[in-house]
Amino acid sequence: EVQLVESGGGLVQPGGSLRLSCAASGFTFSDYYMDWVRQAPGKGLEWVGRVRDKVNSYTTEYAASVKGRFTLSRDDSKNSVYLQMNSLETEDTAVYYCVKNIRLGSTRGVAFDLWGQGTLLTVS
Amino acid sequence: DIQLTQSPSFVSVSVGDRVTITCRASQAMNSYLAWYQQKPGKAPKILIYAASTLQSGVPLRFSGSGSGTEFTLTISSLQPEDFATYYCQQLNSYPLTFGGGTKVEIK
């Protein structure tokens, strides 16, 4: 089955750290960019960041709101992507979704075609 | 940053109605524009990518169009399962951004 399963959410105090994990299955994980998107309670969607594939040297991009505090990484041998979150703030409280990107030929990152179920982070 | 403004933010419609949602970008962009549907307590689901390409498995009553700074999502005949919140997203440049959402409710 093609799916993404996030884990690692929970309750953290302001200033604390947490690492979210996302396990992928059912597709060739190493071929795709992976992103994280978050949604604060009752609010809209906010892109958090992206980690590219090996061909693109696993480079990363971040939203300004998390840059310098969050770090994205991936382990293609484990079909997993990770979000290390440091210096957490109450504004980081949200459901965090791991997402897979669509590829159109050699063009990557066209849209998000597979979402995990989400994991809730509460900073309080 | 490219800001996306969706309108309306809320619409009340009946089953069978035609619904059009607009997404305006703060600057001209290529067609890396996607639309998602989200139901309460669920992850978003992709409907349209590259402005007008229907994702596999999505009903034909959904369509997307537009270019430059104005894009639209149209639902030709609203079905009961379509009541949800819809988001546009640009993947033209970083940071990737979403519109504020359009909630489609039953009249």
PDB file of all heavy atoms in Angstrom, chain B residues 72-107:
ATOM      1  N   THR B  72      -8.458  29.375 -11.404  1.00  0.00           N
ATOM      2  CA  THR B  72      -9.769  29.012 -10.884  1.00  0.00           C
ATOM      3  C   THR B  72      -9.922  27.508 -10.762  1.00  0.00           C
ATOM      4  O   THR B  72      -9.358  26.736 -11.540  1.00  0.00           O
ATOM      5  CB  THR B  72     -10.906  29.548 -11.774  1.00  0.00           C
ATOM      6  OG1 THR B  72     -10.767  28.993 -13.075  1.00  0.00           O
ATOM      7  CG2 THR B  72     -10.895  31.050 -11.846  1.00  0.00           C
ATOM      8  N   LEU B  73     -10.689  27.126  -9.757  1.00  0.00           N
ATOM      9  CA  LEU B  73     -11.146  25.752  -9.582  1.00  0.00           C
ATOM     10  C   LEU B  73     -12.652  25.784  -9.764  1.00  0.00           C
ATOM     11  O   LEU B  73     -13.336  26.598  -9.117  1.00  0.00           O
ATOM     12  CB  LEU B  73     -10.798  25.244  -8.192  1.00  0.00           C
ATOM     13  CG  LEU B  73     -11.392  23.875  -7.816  1.00  0.00           C
ATOM     14  CD1 LEU B  73     -10.723  22.759  -8.615  1.00  0.00           C
ATOM     15  CD2 LEU B  73     -11.254  23.611  -6.314  1.00  0.00           C
ATOM     16  N   THR B  74     -13.153  24.920 -10.613  1.00  0.00           N
ATOM     17  CA  THR B  74     -14.591  24.842 -10.852  1.00  0.00           C
ATOM     18  C   THR B  74     -15.093  23.445 -10.534  1.00  0.00           C
ATOM     19  O   THR B  74     -14.478  22.453 -10.926  1.00  0.00           O
ATOM     20  CB  THR B  74     -14.927  25.195 -12.314  1.00  0.00           C
ATOM     21  OG1 THR B  74     -14.494  26.536 -12.590  1.00  0.00           O
ATOM     22  CG2 THR B  74     -16.428  25.100 -12.561  1.00  0.00           C
ATOM     23  N   ILE B  75     -16.201  23.399  -9.812  1.00  0.00           N
ATOM     24  CA  ILE B  75     -16.917  22.148  -9.587  1.00  0.00           C
ATOM     25  C   ILE B  75     -18.216  22.297 -10.361  1.00  0.00           C
ATOM     26  O   ILE B  75     -19.045  23.167 -10.047  1.00  0.00           O
ATOM     27  CB  ILE B  75     -17.188  21.901  -8.092  1.00  0.00           C
ATOM     28  CG1 ILE B  75     -15.908  22.072  -7.277  1.00  0.00           C
ATOM     29  CG2 ILE B  75     -17.766  20.493  -7.886  1.00  0.00           C
ATOM     30  CD1 ILE B  75     -16.119  22.055  -5.770  1.00  0.00           C
ATOM     31  N   SER B  76     -18.409  21.477 -11.385  1.00  0.00           N
ATOM     32  CA  SER B  76     -19.499  21.717 -12.336  1.00  0.00           C
ATOM     33  C   SER B  76     -20.872  21.446 -11.739  1.00  0.00           C
ATOM     34  O   SER B  76     -21.842  22.136 -12.036  1.00  0.00           O
ATOM     35  CB  SER B  76     -19.300  20.877 -13.592  1.00  0.00           C
ATOM     36  OG  SER B  76     -19.278  19.505 -13.259  1.00  0.00           O
ATOM     37  N   SER B  77     -20.961  20.441 -10.884  1.00  0.00           N
ATOM     38  CA  SER B  77     -22.239  20.087 -10.271  1.00  0.00           C
ATOM     39  C   SER B  77     -21.927  19.505  -8.899  1.00  0.00           C
ATOM     40  O   SER B  77     -21.550  18.332  -8.790  1.00  0.00           O
ATOM     41  CB  SER B  77     -23.002  19.084 -11.127  1.00  0.00           C
ATOM     42  OG  SER B  77     -24.211  18.700 -10.489  1.00  0.00           O
ATOM     43  N   LEU B  78     -22.091  20.321  -7.883  1.00  0.00           N
ATOM     44  CA  LEU B  78     -21.643  19.950  -6.540  1.00  0.00           C
ATOM     45  C   LEU B  78     -22.376  18.718  -6.019  1.00  0.00           C
ATOM     46  O   LEU B  78     -23.609  18.631  -6.114  1.00  0.00           O
ATOM     47  CB  LEU B  78     -21.856  21.121  -5.595  1.00  0.00           C
ATOM     48  CG  LEU B  78     -20.979  21.131  -4.355  1.00  0.00           C
ATOM     49  CD1 LEU B  78     -19.557  21.529  -4.717  1.00  0.00           C
ATOM     50  CD2 LEU B  78     -21.545  22.069  -3.305  1.00  0.00           C
ATOM     51  N   GLN B  79     -21.614  17.783  -5.508  1.00  0.00           N
ATOM     52  CA  GLN B  79     -22.164  16.573  -4.915  1.00  0.00           C
ATOM     53  C   GLN B  79     -22.040  16.626  -3.394  1.00  0.00           C
ATOM     54  O   GLN B  79     -21.216  17.388  -2.865  1.00  0.00           O
ATOM     55  CB  GLN B  79     -21.438  15.344  -5.467  1.00  0.00           C
ATOM     56  CG  GLN B  79     -21.591  15.167  -6.961  1.00  0.00           C
ATOM     57  CD  GLN B  79     -23.067  15.074  -7.365  1.00  0.00           C
ATOM     58  OE1 GLN B  79     -23.779  14.162  -6.947  1.00  0.00           O
ATOM     59  NE2 GLN B  79     -23.522  16.024  -8.191  1.00  0.00           N
ATOM     60  N   PRO B  80     -22.829  15.846  -2.666  1.00  0.00           N
ATOM     61  CA  PRO B  80     -22.774  15.909  -1.195  1.00  0.00           C
ATOM     62  C   PRO B  80     -21.376  15.710  -0.624  1.00  0.00           C
ATOM     63  O   PRO B  80     -21.019  16.335   0.380  1.00  0.00           O
ATOM     64  CB  PRO B  80     -23.721  14.775  -0.771  1.00  0.00           C
ATOM     65  CG  PRO B  80     -24.668  14.631  -1.911  1.00  0.00           C
ATOM     66  CD  PRO B  80     -23.864  14.933  -3.150  1.00  0.00           C
ATOM     67  N   GLU B  81     -20.583  14.875  -1.284  1.00  0.00           N
ATOM     68  CA  GLU B  81     -19.229  14.597  -0.765  1.00  0.00           C
ATOM     69  C   GLU B  81     -18.230  15.719  -1.045  1.00  0.00           C
ATOM     70  O   GLU B  81     -17.081  15.644  -0.616  1.00  0.00           O
ATOM     71  CB  GLU B  81     -18.699  13.273  -1.345  1.00  0.00           C
ATOM     72  CG  GLU B  81     -18.583  13.221  -2.850  1.00  0.00           C
ATOM     73  CD  GLU B  81     -19.836  12.683  -3.522  1.00  0.00           C
ATOM     74  OE1 GLU B  81     -20.947  12.857  -2.979  1.00  0.00           O
ATOM     75  OE2 GLU B  81     -19.688  12.080  -4.621  1.00  0.00           O
ATOM     76  N   ASP B  82     -18.671  16.749  -1.763  1.00  0.00           N
ATOM     77  CA  ASP B  82     -17.769  17.863  -2.111  1.00  0.00           C
ATOM     78  C   ASP B  82     -17.756  18.971  -1.075  1.00  0.00           C
ATOM     79  O   ASP B  82     -16.986  19.931  -1.209  1.00  0.00           O
ATOM     80  CB  ASP B  82     -18.153  18.449  -3.469  1.00  0.00           C
ATOM     81  CG  ASP B  82     -18.092  17.428  -4.590  1.00  0.00           C
ATOM     82  OD1 ASP B  82     -17.347  16.434  -4.453  1.00  0.00           O
ATOM     83  OD2 ASP B  82     -18.785  17.627  -5.611  1.00  0.00           O
ATOM     84  N   PHE B  83     -18.615  18.868  -0.075  1.00  0.00           N
ATOM     85  CA  PHE B  83     -18.621  19.903   0.952  1.00  0.00           C
ATOM     86  C   PHE B  83     -17.366  19.750   1.801  1.00  0.00           C
ATOM     87  O   PHE B  83     -17.160  18.734   2.463  1.00  0.00           O
ATOM     88  CB  PHE B  83     -19.908  19.842   1.772  1.00  0.00           C
ATOM     89  CG  PHE B  83     -21.108  20.243   0.960  1.00  0.00           C
ATOM     90  CD1 PHE B  83     -21.899  19.279   0.340  1.00  0.00           C
ATOM     91  CD2 PHE B  83     -21.421  21.579   0.767  1.00  0.00           C
ATOM     92  CE1 PHE B  83     -22.989  19.653  -0.436  1.00  0.00           C
ATOM     93  CE2 PHE B  83     -22.508  21.959   0.003  1.00  0.00           C
ATOM     94  CZ  PHE B  83     -23.291  20.995  -0.615  1.00  0.00           C
ATOM     95  N   ALA B  84     -16.512  20.774   1.730  1.00  0.00           N
ATOM     96  CA  ALA B  84     -15.167  20.686   2.276  1.00  0.00           C
ATOM     97  C   ALA B  84     -14.526  22.062   2.175  1.00  0.00           C
ATOM     98  O   ALA B  84     -15.151  23.023   1.723  1.00  0.00           O
ATOM     99  CB  ALA B  84     -14.335  19.666   1.495  1.00  0.00           C
ATOM    100  N   THR B  85     -13.253  22.147   2.571  1.00  0.00           N
ATOM    101  CA  THR B  85     -12.465  23.358   2.383  1.00  0.00           C
ATOM    102  C   THR B  85     -11.450  23.103   1.273  1.00  0.00           C
ATOM    103  O   THR B  85     -10.835  22.036   1.215  1.00  0.00           O
ATOM    104  CB  THR B  85     -11.755  23.755   3.682  1.00  0.00           C
ATOM    105  OG1 THR B  85     -12.740  23.998   4.699  1.00  0.00           O
ATOM    106  CG2 THR B  85     -10.937  25.026   3.488  1.00  0.00           C
ATOM    107  N   TYR B  86     -11.309  24.090   0.403  1.00  0.00           N
ATOM    108  CA  TYR B  86     -10.425  23.969  -0.756  1.00  0.00           C
ATOM    109  C   TYR B  86      -9.284  24.977  -0.641  1.00  0.00           C
ATOM    110  O   TYR B  86      -9.497  26.138  -0.280  1.00  0.00           O
ATOM    111  CB  TYR B  86     -11.220  24.186  -2.040  1.00  0.00           C
ATOM    112  CG  TYR B  86     -12.233  23.090  -2.264  1.00  0.00           C
ATOM    113  CD1 TYR B  86     -13.482  23.139  -1.646  1.00  0.00           C
ATOM    114  CD2 TYR B  86     -11.928  21.983  -3.055  1.00  0.00           C
ATOM    115  CE1 TYR B  86     -14.405  22.111  -1.806  1.00  0.00           C
ATOM    116  CE2 TYR B  86     -12.845  20.951  -3.221  1.00  0.00           C
ATOM    117  CZ  TYR B  86     -14.070  21.019  -2.591  1.00  0.00           C
ATOM    118  OH  TYR B  86     -14.976  20.001  -2.756  1.00  0.00           O
ATOM    119  N   TYR B  87      -8.077  24.512  -0.967  1.00  0.00           N
ATOM    120  CA  TYR B  87      -6.890  25.357  -0.902  1.00  0.00           C
ATOM    121  C   TYR B  87      -6.160  25.346  -2.247  1.00  0.00           C
ATOM    122  O   TYR B  87      -6.018  24.283  -2.862  1.00  0.00           O
ATOM    123  CB  TYR B  87      -5.900  24.838   0.151  1.00  0.00           C
ATOM    124  CG  TYR B  87      -6.374  24.920   1.575  1.00  0.00           C
ATOM    125  CD1 TYR B  87      -7.009  23.838   2.183  1.00  0.00           C
ATOM    126  CD2 TYR B  87      -6.168  26.075   2.338  1.00  0.00           C
ATOM    127  CE1 TYR B  87      -7.432  23.902   3.492  1.00  0.00           C
ATOM    128  CE2 TYR B  87      -6.591  26.139   3.657  1.00  0.00           C
ATOM    129  CZ  TYR B  87      -7.222  25.049   4.222  1.00  0.00           C
ATOM    130  OH  TYR B  87      -7.650  25.118   5.533  1.00  0.00           O
ATOM    131  N   CYS B  88      -5.671  26.506  -2.650  1.00  0.00           N
ATOM    132  CA  CYS B  88      -4.730  26.536  -3.765  1.00  0.00           C
ATOM    133  C   CYS B  88      -3.314  26.612  -3.192  1.00  0.00           C
ATOM    134  O   CYS B  88      -3.125  26.995  -2.026  1.00  0.00           O
ATOM    135  CB  CYS B  88      -5.000  27.701  -4.710  1.00  0.00           C
ATOM    136  SG  CYS B  88      -4.931  29.358  -3.977  1.00  0.00           S
ATOM    137  N   GLN B  89      -2.338  26.234  -3.991  1.00  0.00           N
ATOM    138  CA  GLN B  89      -0.935  26.247  -3.579  1.00  0.00           C
ATOM    139  C   GLN B  89      -0.078  26.570  -4.788  1.00  0.00           C
ATOM    140  O   GLN B  89      -0.302  26.031  -5.872  1.00  0.00           O
ATOM    141  CB  GLN B  89      -0.512  24.885  -3.029  1.00  0.00           C
ATOM    142  CG  GLN B  89       0.929  24.816  -2.568  1.00  0.00           C
ATOM    143  CD  GLN B  89       1.484  23.395  -2.536  1.00  0.00           C
ATOM    144  OE1 GLN B  89       0.968  22.496  -3.200  1.00  0.00           O
ATOM    145  NE2 GLN B  89       2.525  23.185  -1.742  1.00  0.00           N
ATOM    146  N   GLN B  90       0.932  27.423  -4.566  1.00  0.00           N
ATOM    147  CA  GLN B  90       1.883  27.680  -5.642  1.00  0.00           C
ATOM    148  C   GLN B  90       3.196  26.956  -5.326  1.00  0.00           C
ATOM    149  O   GLN B  90       3.677  26.959  -4.195  1.00  0.00           O
ATOM    150  CB  GLN B  90       2.088  29.188  -5.868  1.00  0.00           C
ATOM    151  CG  GLN B  90       2.786  29.959  -4.761  1.00  0.00           C
ATOM    152  CD  GLN B  90       4.295  29.845  -4.791  1.00  0.00           C
ATOM    153  OE1 GLN B  90       4.893  29.478  -5.813  1.00  0.00           O
ATOM    154  NE2 GLN B  90       4.953  30.171  -3.672  1.00  0.00           N
ATOM    155  N   LEU B  91       3.731  26.326  -6.371  1.00  0.00           N
ATOM    156  CA  LEU B  91       5.022  25.661  -6.276  1.00  0.00           C
ATOM    157  C   LEU B  91       5.984  26.265  -7.292  1.00  0.00           C
ATOM    158  O   LEU B  91       6.878  25.594  -7.797  1.00  0.00           O
ATOM    159  CB  LEU B  91       4.847  24.151  -6.512  1.00  0.00           C
ATOM    160  CG  LEU B  91       3.917  23.480  -5.481  1.00  0.00           C
ATOM    161  CD1 LEU B  91       2.515  23.281  -6.071  1.00  0.00           C
ATOM    162  CD2 LEU B  91       4.493  22.164  -5.013  1.00  0.00           C
ATOM    163  N   ASN B  92       5.778  27.545  -7.565  1.00  0.00           N
ATOM    164  CA  ASN B  92       6.586  28.283  -8.531  1.00  0.00           C
ATOM    165  C   ASN B  92       7.913  28.709  -7.930  1.00  0.00           C
ATOM    166  O   ASN B  92       8.943  28.684  -8.599  1.00  0.00           O
ATOM    167  CB  ASN B  92       5.789  29.502  -8.992  1.00  0.00           C
ATOM    168  CG  ASN B  92       6.544  30.393  -9.922  1.00  0.00           C
ATOM    169  OD1 ASN B  92       6.656  30.095 -11.097  1.00  0.00           O
ATOM    170  ND2 ASN B  92       7.072  31.499  -9.405  1.00  0.00           N
ATOM    171  N   SER B  93       7.879  29.145  -6.657  1.00  0.00           N
ATOM    172  CA  SER B  93       9.087  29.653  -6.030  1.00  0.00           C
ATOM    173  C   SER B  93       8.985  29.487  -4.520  1.00  0.00           C
ATOM    174  O   SER B  93       7.893  29.343  -3.963  1.00  0.00           O
ATOM    175  CB  SER B  93       9.294  31.127  -6.384  1.00  0.00           C
ATOM    176  OG  SER B  93       8.240  31.914  -5.879  1.00  0.00           O
ATOM    177  N   TYR B  94      10.145  29.550  -3.887  1.00  0.00           N
ATOM    178  CA  TYR B  94      10.186  29.401  -2.430  1.00  0.00           C
ATOM    179  C   TYR B  94      10.015  30.765  -1.752  1.00  0.00           C
ATOM    180  O   TYR B  94      10.526  31.772  -2.249  1.00  0.00           O
ATOM    181  CB  TYR B  94      11.514  28.775  -1.996  1.00  0.00           C
ATOM    182  CG  TYR B  94      11.690  27.383  -2.531  1.00  0.00           C
ATOM    183  CD1 TYR B  94      12.534  27.133  -3.605  1.00  0.00           C
ATOM    184  CD2 TYR B  94      10.982  26.306  -1.985  1.00  0.00           C
ATOM    185  CE1 TYR B  94      12.691  25.857  -4.120  1.00  0.00           C
ATOM    186  CE2 TYR B  94      11.125  25.034  -2.492  1.00  0.00           C
ATOM    187  CZ  TYR B  94      11.986  24.813  -3.554  1.00  0.00           C
ATOM    188  OH  TYR B  94      12.137  23.549  -4.070  1.00  0.00           O
ATOM    189  N   PRO B  95       9.327  30.825  -0.631  1.00  0.00           N
ATOM    190  CA  PRO B  95       8.672  29.693   0.041  1.00  0.00           C
ATOM    191  C   PRO B  95       7.392  29.272  -0.679  1.00  0.00           C
ATOM    192  O   PRO B  95       6.668  30.117  -1.209  1.00  0.00           O
ATOM    193  CB  PRO B  95       8.342  30.263   1.411  1.00  0.00           C
ATOM    194  CG  PRO B  95       8.109  31.712   1.156  1.00  0.00           C
ATOM    195  CD  PRO B  95       9.094  32.096   0.084  1.00  0.00           C
ATOM    196  N   LEU B  96       7.139  27.975  -0.722  1.00  0.00           N
ATOM    197  CA  LEU B  96       5.867  27.510  -1.255  1.00  0.00           C
ATOM    198  C   LEU B  96       4.756  28.066  -0.367  1.00  0.00           C
ATOM    199  O   LEU B  96       4.911  28.145   0.859  1.00  0.00           O
ATOM    200  CB  LEU B  96       5.822  25.979  -1.247  1.00  0.00           C
ATOM    201  CG  LEU B  96       6.981  25.243  -1.919  1.00  0.00           C
ATOM    202  CD1 LEU B  96       6.710  23.744  -1.961  1.00  0.00           C
ATOM    203  CD2 LEU B  96       7.290  25.800  -3.288  1.00  0.00           C
ATOM    204  N   THR B  97       3.669  28.468  -0.977  1.00  0.00           N
ATOM    205  CA  THR B  97       2.597  29.094  -0.210  1.00  0.00           C
ATOM    206  C   THR B  97       1.240  28.532  -0.592  1.00  0.00           C
ATOM    207  O   THR B  97       1.033  28.069  -1.718  1.00  0.00           O
ATOM    208  CB  THR B  97       2.587  30.613  -0.403  1.00  0.00           C
ATOM    209  OG1 THR B  97       2.657  30.922  -1.809  1.00  0.00           O
ATOM    210  CG2 THR B  97       3.772  31.267   0.298  1.00  0.00           C
ATOM    211  N   PHE B  98       0.329  28.598   0.363  1.00  0.00           N
ATOM    212  CA  PHE B  98      -1.060  28.190   0.177  1.00  0.00           C
ATOM    213  C   PHE B  98      -1.966  29.411   0.261  1.00  0.00           C
ATOM    214  O   PHE B  98      -1.662  30.386   0.960  1.00  0.00           O
ATOM    215  CB  PHE B  98      -1.495  27.215   1.275  1.00  0.00           C
ATOM    216  CG  PHE B  98      -0.857  25.852   1.204  1.00  0.00           C
ATOM    217  CD1 PHE B  98       0.341  25.598   1.849  1.00  0.00           C
ATOM    218  CD2 PHE B  98      -1.475  24.820   0.507  1.00  0.00           C
ATOM    219  CE1 PHE B  98       0.930  24.334   1.802  1.00  0.00           C
ATOM    220  CE2 PHE B  98      -0.907  23.547   0.451  1.00  0.00           C
ATOM    221  CZ  PHE B  98       0.311  23.312   1.093  1.00  0.00           C
ATOM    222  N   GLY B  99      -3.098  29.327  -0.414  1.00  0.00           N
ATOM    223  CA  GLY B  99      -4.138  30.306  -0.200  1.00  0.00           C
ATOM    224  C   GLY B  99      -4.792  30.078   1.147  1.00  0.00           C
ATOM    225  O   GLY B  99      -4.562  29.057   1.801  1.00  0.00           O
ATOM    226  N   GLY B 100      -5.626  31.019   1.543  1.00  0.00           N
ATOM    227  CA  GLY B 100      -6.246  30.958   2.854  1.00  0.00           C
ATOM    228  C   GLY B 100      -7.378  29.958   2.985  1.00  0.00           C
ATOM    229  O   GLY B 100      -7.844  29.693   4.096  1.00  0.00           O
ATOM    230  N   GLY B 101      -7.829  29.409   1.879  1.00  0.00           N
ATOM    231  CA  GLY B 101      -8.878  28.404   1.914  1.00  0.00           C
ATOM    232  C   GLY B 101     -10.248  28.955   1.577  1.00  0.00           C
ATOM    233  O   GLY B 101     -10.547  30.127   1.829  1.00  0.00           O
ATOM    234  N   THR B 102     -11.070  28.093   1.001  1.00  0.00           N
ATOM    235  CA  THR B 102     -12.470  28.402   0.709  1.00  0.00           C
ATOM    236  C   THR B 102     -13.317  27.275   1.270  1.00  0.00           C
ATOM    237  O   THR B 102     -13.156  26.121   0.869  1.00  0.00           O
ATOM    238  CB  THR B 102     -12.713  28.512  -0.809  1.00  0.00           C
ATOM    239  OG1 THR B 102     -11.977  29.620  -1.330  1.00  0.00           O
ATOM    240  CG2 THR B 102     -14.199  28.698  -1.096  1.00  0.00           C
ATOM    241  N   LYS B 103     -14.191  27.623   2.184  1.00  0.00           N
ATOM    242  CA  LYS B 103     -15.056  26.617   2.781  1.00  0.00           C
ATOM    243  C   LYS B 103     -16.352  26.560   2.001  1.00  0.00           C
ATOM    244  O   LYS B 103     -17.042  27.574   1.843  1.00  0.00           O
ATOM    245  CB  LYS B 103     -15.318  26.935   4.247  1.00  0.00           C
ATOM    246  CG  LYS B 103     -16.042  25.826   4.989  1.00  0.00           C
ATOM    247  CD  LYS B 103     -16.108  26.104   6.484  1.00  0.00           C
ATOM    248  CE  LYS B 103     -16.716  24.953   7.252  1.00  0.00           C
ATOM    249  NZ  LYS B 103     -16.763  25.210   8.712  1.00  0.00           N
ATOM    250  N   VAL B 104     -16.696  25.385   1.509  1.00  0.00           N
ATOM    251  CA  VAL B 104     -17.923  25.172   0.755  1.00  0.00           C
ATOM    252  C   VAL B 104     -18.904  24.454   1.670  1.00  0.00           C
ATOM    253  O   VAL B 104     -18.657  23.315   2.079  1.00  0.00           O
ATOM    254  CB  VAL B 104     -17.659  24.360  -0.521  1.00  0.00           C
ATOM    255  CG1 VAL B 104     -18.959  24.096  -1.272  1.00  0.00           C
ATOM    256  CG2 VAL B 104     -16.656  25.079  -1.421  1.00  0.00           C
ATOM    257  N   GLU B 105     -19.992  25.146   1.986  1.00  0.00           N
ATOM    258  CA  GLU B 105     -20.984  24.590   2.906  1.00  0.00           C
ATOM    259  C   GLU B 105     -22.321  24.399   2.224  1.00  0.00           C
ATOM    260  O   GLU B 105     -22.625  25.011   1.195  1.00  0.00           O
ATOM    261  CB  GLU B 105     -21.131  25.495   4.125  1.00  0.00           C
ATOM    262  CG  GLU B 105     -19.948  25.417   5.059  1.00  0.00           C
ATOM    263  CD  GLU B 105     -20.285  25.840   6.474  1.00  0.00           C
ATOM    264  OE1 GLU B 105     -21.344  26.467   6.677  1.00  0.00           O
ATOM    265  OE2 GLU B 105     -19.480  25.568   7.381  1.00  0.00           O
ATOM    266  N   ILE B 106     -23.141  23.580   2.844  1.00  0.00           N
ATOM    267  CA  ILE B 106     -24.469  23.280   2.300  1.00  0.00           C
ATOM    268  C   ILE B 106     -25.422  24.423   2.622  1.00  0.00           C
ATOM    269  O   ILE B 106     -25.488  24.893   3.762  1.00  0.00           O
ATOM    270  CB  ILE B 106     -25.020  21.981   2.909  1.00  0.00           C
ATOM    271  CG1 ILE B 106     -24.079  20.812   2.637  1.00  0.00           C
ATOM    272  CG2 ILE B 106     -26.427  21.687   2.381  1.00  0.00           C
ATOM    273  CD1 ILE B 106     -24.476  19.530   3.358  1.00  0.00           C
ATOM    274  N   LYS B 107     -26.165  24.874   1.595  1.00  0.00           N
ATOM    275  CA  LYS B 107     -27.155  25.936   1.815  1.00  0.00           C
ATOM    276  C   LYS B 107     -28.375  25.329   2.504  1.00  0.00           C
ATOM    277  O   LYS B 107     -28.854  24.271   2.135  1.00  0.00           O
ATOM    278  CB  LYS B 107     -27.550  26.558   0.479  1.00  0.00           C
ATOM    279  CG  LYS B 107     -28.537  27.717   0.605  1.00  0.00           C
ATOM    280  CD  LYS B 107     -28.919  28.270  -0.750  1.00  0.00           C
ATOM    281  CE  LYS B 107     -27.787  29.068  -1.341  1.00  0.00           C
ATOM    282  NZ  LYS B 107     -28.177  29.695  -2.631  1.00  0.00           N
TER     283      LYS B 107
END
